[in-house]
Amino acid sequence: MEDIIYEGYRDKQYDLHFHESFTTKSPKHFHRNFELLYIKDGAPFDVEVNGVKYTVSTDDIVFVSNYYVHSFESEGHQQYCLIVPPFISGD
């Protein structure tokens, strides 16, 4: 059985959370928040959202609905990430 992480700490966030990062891996996880990823730079890599794999690369956008399990692994990419808190999404 694979491990899936619940990011419950995000439930208490009441502001939009925006950050830029250079990253290589995000294990399977979910949260009550919507998440929007903009891939600023990087070679093509796979993102899995709710059991469906997508290949993304520079200038692609990934939308993750609340409660969707999602993950990725890359050789390294630059991204912008926007986390939308539950009260804005109506949850």
Side-chain angles (χ1 to χ4, degrees):
M1 181 173 181
E2 62 187 320
D3 292 329
I4 299 174
I5 300 163
Y6 172 54
E7 290 186 348
Y9 70 92
R10 293 197 184 278
D11 292 353
K12 295 179 176 42
Q13 294 176 333
Y14 291 97
D15 296 321
L16 291 172
H17 177 76
F18 178 81
H19 67 274
E20 178 181 9
S21 62
F22 180 85
T23 188
T24 58
K25 186 173 185 175
S26 179
K28 287 189 175 194
H29 68 282
F30 70 99
H31 36 72
R32 291 176 54 200
N33 316 74
F34 288 108
E35 184 171 340
L36 192 64
L37 297 173
Y38 169 71
I39 310 306
K40 183 178 178 186
D41 187 36
F45 64 96
D46 289 336
V47 173
E48 186 173 333
V49 178
N50 218 32
V52 179
K53 286 190 179 183
Y54 303 93
T55 300
V56 299
S57 60
T58 302
D59 289 331
D60 282 342
I61 294 174
V62 178
F63 175 78
V64 181
S65 191
N66 54 340
Y67 298 104
Y68 277 19
V69 174
H70 52 290
S71 63
F72 64 78
E73 191 165 347
S74 74
E75 294 177 9
H77 67 278
Q78 187 104 17
Q79 70 178 19
Y80 292 118
C81 179
L82 178 66
I83 306 287
V84 180
F87 81 92
I88 292 176
S89 68
D91 184 24

